[in-house]
Amino acid sequence: MENENRVDEYLQRIELNRPNNISDEEYLIQLHIGHLTHIPFETFDLIDLKELNIELDYIFERLVRQKRGGVCYQMNGLFAFILQNFNYKVQLIPCGVYWNDKDDYFDDYSHLAICVTLKNGEQFLCDVGFSMDSLTPLFFRKDCIQYATNGFYRLTKMNDQLYYKLEQGYLKKDVQFPLSSTFQTSIVDIDPECISWRNSYRFRINFAEKSTKLEDFQSTCPYIVHSPDVFLNHYTVCHLHTCQPTIGVGAYAISGKEYCEWIYKDGHMIRTLTPLSTDESELKQLLKEKFNLIIERKIELVN
């Protein structure tokens, strides 16, 4: 009964009803979009309080009842819990985030993603905790290009034959390509050279051989909080996807000391940047209006 009540609270948080005469795939898409457009990815406590608690009770209290956001372990940990309560088959995936400065990847437990298997056997890669997430779940299929409403994605086997890597991309400036406007991931037949790609993360091909639990990521938390190599502990990030008729598909974000707005249109990304005021009251007003975040304590932006 407690879990049922928690599910109802979560659905109220993301403004979604329980499923009614729709497929499990359709409802998975609704849950994915609902989470990304209502619960922000944010690093304020990671920076200011040097805190990263990934116990489920704490995550639920913070993200649902206190209406805060979180980072990958918290966001995907909560999402996996909700999916399990709707009888989706869930497998947590330990991932290594791409390290741009070294052209390499962080430890395999530096990120958490989710493999979801439907009743018909179809598998999806879900991730609501990467900041630059796919708006809709990705098909768990390699060697194809997928369009997920807010960008292109591809999952490929790395040369070492041990890992899959996920890449994200947008159409190059002068490229035009017809795309579906439906809120559903589609596989598209397009020359990959038409897309500007960036690495997201990698994970082991045999990840399903091990039953990974949320607590398995606990030992990595001190590294995420304190290591100078992890930019999330010394660079302000607050990111919330948008998916509204009047605004379209895009995102609001605070990145360092700048406010950003993204619009995704016809496979292209359009971004506007605005320097943020140092006035704390203005910052808190922005957090409330754009991210539905209310933080009572003093906060400072870190660049």
Side-chain angles (χ1 to χ4, degrees), residues 37-192:
T37 56
H38 288 80
I39 305 178
F41 182 99
E42 50 116 331
T43 62
F44 293 111
D45 287 3
L46 191 62
I47 294 171
D48 297 341
L49 305 181
K50 298 300 179 186
E51 174 185 272
L52 180 53
N53 189 328
I54 64 169
E55 293 179 0
L56 184 60
D57 287 345
Y58 172 86
I59 295 172
F60 188 86
E61 182 68 26
R62 173 191 171 90
L63 273 62
V64 178
R65 292 175 177 160
Q66 296 179 13
K67 296 186 176 181
R68 289 290 304 275
V71 295
C72 68
Y73 305 147
Q74 298 166 327
M75 298 279 271
N76 282 320
L78 173 63
F79 195 62
F81 166 77
I82 295 298
L83 292 179
Q84 288 169 329
N85 277 276
F86 280 113
N87 296 318
Y88 289 97
K89 183 180 177 182
V90 170
Q91 172 81 47
L92 301 186
I93 309 175
C95 306
V97 176
Y98 181 67
W99 192 345
N100 190 63
D101 290 345
K102 295 192 175 183
D103 190 26
D104 199 359
Y105 291 84
F106 282 95
D107 178 85
D108 284 353
Y109 281 78
S110 61
H111 181 62
L112 161 62
I114 307 171
C115 177
V116 179
T117 305
L118 305 186
K119 295 173 184 175
N120 63 6
E122 182 74 79
Q123 290 187 315
F124 287 87
L125 178 62
C126 293
D127 194 341
V128 296
F130 194 63
S131 177
M132 300 297 288
D133 322 81
S134 62
L135 184 63
T136 49
L138 300 176
F139 294 105
F140 206 106
R141 301 180 192 176
K142 61 183 179 66
D143 301 325
C144 63
I145 297 176
Q146 306 183 45
Y147 180 65
T149 311
N150 66 338
F152 296 88
Y153 297 82
R154 64 180 177 184
L155 188 65
T156 56
K157 187 179 290 187
M158 298 183 69
N159 291 334
D160 61 11
Q161 303 297 304
L162 297 175
Y163 288 90
Y164 291 129
K165 72 172 179 178
L166 180 69
E167 298 169 278
Q168 179 195 33
Y170 306 99
L171 289 178
K172 293 179 179 177
K173 186 175 181 180
D174 298 325
V175 175
Q176 301 297 322
F177 187 82
L179 292 163
S180 170
S181 59
T182 59
F183 294 119
Q184 185 174 6
T185 299
S186 57
I187 295 174
V188 293
D189 185 10
I190 183 174
D191 184 347

Side-chain angles (χ1 to χ4, degrees), residues 170-173 175-176 263-270:
Y170 306 99
L171 289 178
K172 293 179 179 177
K173 186 175 181 180
V175 175
Q176 301 297 322
I263 295 294
Y264 306 105
K265 187 174 182 181
D266 301 325
H268 295 272
M269 184 203 31
I270 304 167

Side-chain angles (χ1 to χ4, degrees), residues 215-257:
E215 51 264 34
D216 294 335
F217 295 84
Q218 185 64 58
S219 61
T220 310
C221 288
Y223 177 79
I224 301 297
V225 172
H226 298 291
S227 173
D229 294 329
V230 179
F231 82 97
L232 294 177
N233 65 38
H234 56 265
Y235 187 88
T236 302
V237 177
C238 187
H239 187 281
L240 186 69
H241 291 262
T242 59
C243 181
Q244 302 173 24
T246 56
I247 300 174
V249 173
Y252 301 135
I254 293 174
S255 181
K257 297 183 178 181

